[in-house]
């Protein structure tokens, strides 16, 4: 497999970043769903600590992915796709990028507005993006929650789209994001 | 003979009673009783907004100097109402049972120049421990009032919250709410010249 993307498939860099981010998103959702309803306890704090630290890693990976997408553009969409399908594919990918930046950034704003600074695995602490602010904290909390719902919706669309291409169109859209079969 | 005896006793008494040090008035507007603690391994700042100090201090008469500070625990402010509520709760500072913390000096030492050290007893959540507060002291004319002198004290004291029982039960663990708390004292006090 090549490191960069080719005309027909994704390269090792894009593939690794894509599946890493997917794994982190699954972890983040699992942590978020578990930690928020817990009554305050040391264990709840430990989950928040993990959620915030992994969130910073995810944000960093998204920045890398964005930079990489300009360095090595993705392979073109299959010929059989109609204009509305192309538009939907491009829009959903763009929205996924936006959401995957908006989630960690709104989380960072929440932590800043709450005066609960973000430590990354105890190694270093992020600067606060904003001064402590009750109204901003409430707004960031709401934004973070509703953006997570948008993330679920887009994830579902993204996965369903991949399977539609693989099982119904029988093209290589899903396969070219998976290792194996030797690249060109 | 008896007169000499009496005079000697009086002389000894006169020199054994220390002369009073100078009383100062704390200027709350120019003072801050702050601290830095860690939560989820990240440092955050807070302060106690209500406290009162009795200051009897003379750098030339440290033996007679005494400082006592009483801090209202409910006045804690870490710019987060939820956290402030936990801080005063029973498992933490138990403010309803122990509404004040106290800092009372037992002695001072001059380390050289503007550097001093206060040996004191600190009482928090009903537990009293000996502490040492190194501080710098600058005395000069009060810029706000030419008839007065102003003394500026800056000192930092790190305490282990678990030494005072602050954080009970599951909160004895210090991984998520750090054990060390840095108390930062920046006080201005004035007295007439």
């Amino acid at each position: 497999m090549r490191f960069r993307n080719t005309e027909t498939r994704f390269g090792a860099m894009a593939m690794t970043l894509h599946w890493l981010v997917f794994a982190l998103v699954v972890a983040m959702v699992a942590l978020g769903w578990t930690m928020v309803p817990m009554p305050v306890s040391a264990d709840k704090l430990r989950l928040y600590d993990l959620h915030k630290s992994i969130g910073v890693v995810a944000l960093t990976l998204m920045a890398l992915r964005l930079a990489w997408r300009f360095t090595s553009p993705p392979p073109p969409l299959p010929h059989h796709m109609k204009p509305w399908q192309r538009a939907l594919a491009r829009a959903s990918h763009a929205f996924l990028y936006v959401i995957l930046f908006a989630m960690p950034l709104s989380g960072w704003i929440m932590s800043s507005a709450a005066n609960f600074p973000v430590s990354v695995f105890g190694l270093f602490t992020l600067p606060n993006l904003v001064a402590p602010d009750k109204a901003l904290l409430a707004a960031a909390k709401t934004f973070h929650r509703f953006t997570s719902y948008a993330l679920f919706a887009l994830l579902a669309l993204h996965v369903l789209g991949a399977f539609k291409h693989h099982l119904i169109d029988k093209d290589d859209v899903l396969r070219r994001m998976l290792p194996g079969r030797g690249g060109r | 003979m008896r007169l000499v005896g009496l005079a000697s006793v009086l002389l000894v008494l006169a020199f054994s009673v220390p002369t009073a040090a100078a009383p100062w008035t704390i200027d709350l507007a120019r003072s801050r009783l702050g601290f830095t603690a860690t939560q989820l391994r990240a440092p955050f700042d807070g302060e106690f907004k209500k406290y009162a100090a009795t200051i009897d201090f003379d750098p030339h008469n440290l033996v007679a100097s005494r400082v006592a500070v009483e801090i209202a625990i409910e006045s804690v402010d870490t710019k987060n109402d939820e956290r402030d509520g936990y801080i005063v709760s029973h498992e933490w500072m138990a403010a309803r049972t122990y509404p004040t913390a106290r800092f009372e000096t037992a002695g001072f030492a001059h380390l050289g120049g503007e550097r001093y050290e206060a040996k004191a007893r600190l009482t928090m959540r009903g537990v009293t421990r000996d502490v040492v507060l190194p501080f710098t002291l600058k005395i000069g004319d009060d810029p706000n009032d030419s008839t007065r002198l102003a003394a500026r004290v800056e000192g930092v004291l790190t305490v282990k919250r678990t030494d005072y029982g602050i954080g009970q039960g599951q909160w004895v663990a210090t991984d998520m709410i750090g054990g060390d708390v840095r108390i930062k004292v920046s006080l201005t006090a004035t007295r007439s010249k």
Side-chain angles (χ1 to χ4, degrees), chain A residues 40-43 45-46 48-49 52 114-119 121-122 125 132 134 137, chain B residues 39-46 78-83 86 170-171 173 175-177:
Chain A
V40 169
S41 68
D43 281 339
L45 295 195
R46 290 179 186 114
Y48 269 80
D49 179 50
K52 285 160 70 151
N115 197 20
F116 291 1
V118 179
S119 169
F121 296 109
T125 302
K134 270 186 256 205
L137 170 58
Chain B
Q39 171 182 321
L40 271 60
R41 309 187 263 188
F44 69 91
D45 285 343
T78 64
K79 304 241 182 318
N80 184 294
D81 293 344
E82 195 192 344
R83 175 170 51 208
Y86 283 113
Q170 63 176 323
W171 300 112
D175 59 330
M176 288 296 107
I177 307 288

Side-chain angles (χ1 to χ4, degrees), chain A residues 108-115 130-134 136-137, chain B residues 79-80:
Chain A
W108 187 353
I109 289 174
M110 247 203 288
S111 285
S112 304
N115 197 20
V130 294
D133 184 326
K134 270 186 256 205
L136 186 52
L137 170 58
Chain B
K79 304 241 182 318
N80 184 294

Side-chain angles (χ1 to χ4, degrees), chain A residues 21-49:
Chain A
V21 168
F22 172 66
L24 290 184
V25 166
V26 169
M28 291 296 275
V29 167
L31 282 166
W33 273 348
T34 310
M35 74 194 197
V36 168
M38 284 170 82
V40 169
S41 68
D43 281 339
K44 179 180 172 109
L45 295 195
R46 290 179 186 114
L47 291 185
Y48 269 80
D49 179 50

